[in-house]
Amino acid sequence: MTVLANVTAVAIDGRALLIEGPPGSGKSSLALALIDRGALLIGDDAVNLADDGAALIASPPPNTCGLIEIRNVGIVELPVSSAPLALALTLDPEAPRFPLDPTMRTIAGVDIPSLPFAPGDAVQALRAEYALAHHGLPFPNSGATQ
Protein backbone atom coordinates (compact mmCIF):
# COMPACT_ATOMS: atom_id res chain seq x y z
CA MET A 1 0.00 0.00 0.00
CA THR A 2 1.20 3.50 -0.87
CA VAL A 3 0.00 6.67 0.84
CA LEU A 4 -0.01 9.86 -1.24
CA ALA A 5 0.05 13.01 0.89
CA ASN A 6 -1.15 16.50 -0.09
CA VAL A 7 -3.63 15.16 -2.66
CA THR A 8 -7.40 14.88 -2.73
CA ALA A 9 -9.49 12.24 -4.49
CA VAL A 10 -13.13 11.65 -5.29
CA ALA A 11 -15.04 8.81 -6.91
CA ILE A 12 -17.17 9.69 -9.92
CA ASP A 13 -19.37 6.90 -11.27
CA GLY A 14 -17.07 4.27 -9.78
CA ARG A 15 -13.71 5.71 -10.95
CA ALA A 16 -11.27 7.72 -8.87
CA LEU A 17 -10.12 11.20 -9.85
CA LEU A 18 -6.92 12.30 -8.10
CA ILE A 19 -6.50 16.07 -7.62
CA GLU A 20 -2.97 17.37 -7.06
CA GLY A 21 -1.58 20.84 -6.48
CA PRO A 22 0.24 23.01 -3.99
CA PRO A 23 -1.40 23.94 -0.67
CA GLY A 24 -4.19 26.47 -1.19
CA SER A 25 -4.52 25.73 -4.92
CA GLY A 26 -8.13 24.54 -4.68
CA LYS A 27 -7.94 20.75 -4.37
CA SER A 28 -10.58 20.55 -1.65
CA SER A 29 -12.73 23.19 -3.36
CA LEU A 30 -12.78 21.20 -6.61
CA ALA A 31 -13.55 18.02 -4.66
CA LEU A 32 -16.40 19.76 -2.84
CA ALA A 33 -17.84 21.04 -6.13
CA LEU A 34 -17.65 17.51 -7.56
CA ILE A 35 -19.26 16.06 -4.40
CA ASP A 36 -22.08 18.58 -4.86
CA ARG A 37 -22.54 17.08 -8.35
CA GLY A 38 -22.74 13.50 -6.99
CA ALA A 39 -19.12 12.39 -6.48
CA LEU A 40 -18.06 10.68 -3.26
CA LEU A 41 -15.05 11.67 -1.20
CA ILE A 42 -12.15 9.24 -1.15
CA GLY A 43 -9.65 11.36 0.74
CA ASP A 44 -8.73 14.97 1.42
CA ASP A 45 -5.04 15.73 1.96
CA ALA A 46 -4.09 12.03 1.65
CA VAL A 47 -5.14 8.92 -0.27
CA ASN A 48 -4.21 5.25 0.13
CA LEU A 49 -3.33 3.41 -3.08
CA ALA A 50 -3.20 -0.37 -3.48
CA ASP A 51 -2.57 -2.41 -6.64
CA ASP A 52 -5.18 -5.17 -6.81
CA GLY A 53 -3.71 -6.68 -9.98
CA ALA A 54 -6.31 -5.11 -12.27
CA ALA A 55 -6.11 -1.47 -11.16
CA LEU A 56 -4.70 0.93 -8.62
CA ILE A 57 -7.42 1.27 -5.98
CA ALA A 58 -7.72 4.65 -4.22
CA SER A 59 -9.18 4.44 -0.72
CA PRO A 60 -9.55 6.71 2.32
CA PRO A 61 -6.60 6.97 4.69
CA PRO A 62 -7.63 5.70 8.14
CA ASN A 63 -6.46 8.76 10.11
CA THR A 64 -8.62 11.25 8.13
CA CYS A 65 -11.30 8.95 6.71
CA GLY A 66 -14.37 10.98 5.74
CA LEU A 67 -12.93 14.34 6.71
CA ILE A 68 -12.60 17.30 4.34
CA GLU A 69 -11.53 20.85 5.03
CA ILE A 70 -13.98 23.44 3.75
CA ARG A 71 -12.39 26.87 3.64
CA ASN A 72 -14.08 29.35 6.01
CA VAL A 73 -16.19 26.52 7.48
CA GLY A 74 -13.78 24.01 9.03
CA ILE A 75 -13.47 20.23 8.99
CA VAL A 76 -16.65 18.36 8.07
CA GLU A 77 -17.39 14.65 7.80
CA LEU A 78 -18.73 13.14 4.57
CA PRO A 79 -19.45 9.62 3.28
CA VAL A 80 -16.47 7.97 1.59
CA SER A 81 -15.82 5.48 -1.16
CA SER A 82 -12.96 3.58 -2.81
CA ALA A 83 -12.48 3.27 -6.56
CA PRO A 84 -9.91 2.40 -9.22
CA LEU A 85 -7.71 5.40 -10.04
CA ALA A 86 -8.52 6.58 -13.56
CA LEU A 87 -7.07 10.10 -13.93
CA ALA A 88 -4.83 12.59 -12.11
CA LEU A 89 -5.49 16.31 -12.47
CA THR A 90 -2.68 18.67 -11.50
CA LEU A 91 -4.01 22.11 -10.61
CA ASP A 92 -1.92 24.66 -12.51
CA PRO A 93 -2.97 28.23 -13.40
CA GLU A 94 -0.74 27.93 -16.50
CA ALA A 95 -2.44 24.75 -17.77
CA PRO A 96 -2.80 24.80 -21.56
CA ARG A 97 -6.25 25.69 -22.80
CA PHE A 98 -6.34 22.82 -25.32
CA PRO A 99 -4.38 19.78 -24.14
CA LEU A 100 -3.99 17.39 -27.05
CA ASP A 101 -3.61 14.23 -24.99
CA PRO A 102 -3.01 13.42 -21.37
CA THR A 103 0.49 12.33 -20.45
CA MET A 104 0.93 9.01 -18.72
CA ARG A 105 2.49 9.12 -15.28
CA THR A 106 3.60 6.24 -13.13
CA ILE A 107 1.93 6.37 -9.72
CA ALA A 108 2.70 3.53 -7.30
CA GLY A 109 3.98 1.47 -10.23
CA VAL A 110 0.90 1.92 -12.45
CA ASP A 111 0.61 4.18 -15.52
CA ILE A 112 -2.20 6.71 -15.01
CA PRO A 113 -3.33 9.47 -17.41
CA SER A 114 -2.48 12.92 -16.07
CA LEU A 115 -3.67 16.37 -17.14
CA PRO A 116 -2.67 19.88 -16.08
CA PHE A 117 -5.88 21.57 -14.99
CA ALA A 118 -6.67 25.26 -14.50
CA PRO A 119 -8.11 25.82 -11.01
CA GLY A 120 -10.76 28.10 -9.73
CA ASP A 121 -13.31 29.01 -12.36
CA ALA A 122 -17.06 28.52 -12.09
CA VAL A 123 -17.31 25.41 -14.27
CA GLN A 124 -14.31 23.60 -12.85
CA ALA A 125 -16.32 20.60 -11.58
CA LEU A 126 -18.04 20.12 -14.93
CA ARG A 127 -14.68 20.34 -16.74
CA ALA A 128 -13.21 17.75 -14.36
CA GLU A 129 -16.07 15.34 -15.09
CA TYR A 130 -15.48 15.74 -18.83
CA ALA A 131 -11.73 15.23 -18.36
CA LEU A 132 -12.40 11.95 -16.56
CA ALA A 133 -14.92 10.83 -19.19
CA HIS A 134 -12.62 11.62 -22.13
CA HIS A 135 -9.13 10.92 -20.79
CA GLY A 136 -9.49 8.60 -17.79
CA LEU A 137 -8.68 4.92 -17.76
CA PRO A 138 -11.66 2.64 -18.44
CA PHE A 139 -13.01 0.44 -15.69
CA PRO A 140 -10.69 -2.51 -15.02
CA ASN A 141 -11.35 -5.44 -17.37
CA SER A 142 -13.51 -3.21 -19.57
CA GLY A 143 -12.89 -2.01 -23.10
CA ALA A 144 -14.83 1.24 -22.81
CA THR A 145 -15.24 4.16 -20.45
CA GLN A 146 -18.60 4.26 -18.74
Side-chain angles (χ1 to χ4, degrees):
M1 171 136 353
T2 300
V3 177
L4 291 182
N6 303 313
V7 299
T8 296
V10 296
I12 300 172
D13 296 330
R15 293 187 298 161
L17 177 66
L18 185 70
I19 305 164
E20 305 172 301
S25 63
K27 297 180 297 289
S28 298
S29 294
L30 174 54
L32 189 61
L34 289 164
I35 291 165
D36 187 53
R37 296 178 53 79
L40 288 171
L41 178 66
I42 294 175
D44 185 41
D45 240 4
V47 175
N48 283 349
L49 297 174
D51 189 341
D52 76 351
L56 194 58
I57 305 300
S59 60
N63 57 337
T64 59
C65 183
L67 302 178
I68 187 170
E69 178 187 350
I70 301 175
R71 192 172 301 268
N72 303 120
V73 174
I75 306 293
V76 299
E77 190 168 353
L78 296 174
V80 295
S81 183
S82 295
L85 183 56
L87 180 66
L89 296 180
T90 301
L91 299 183
D92 177 0
E94 302 299 319
R97 184 173 175 176
F98 297 108
L100 298 177
D101 287 308
T103 58
M104 296 302 279
R105 232 177 80 216
T106 303
I107 300 175
V110 177
D111 288 339
I112 302 294
S114 179
L115 284 175
F117 199 75
D121 64 20
V123 295
Q124 166 178 48
L126 184 59
R127 289 189 305 112
E129 288 176 347
Y130 273 96
L132 179 61
H134 289 277
H135 298 294
L137 294 175
F139 284 98
N141 302 320
S142 169
T145 310
Q146 296 188 15

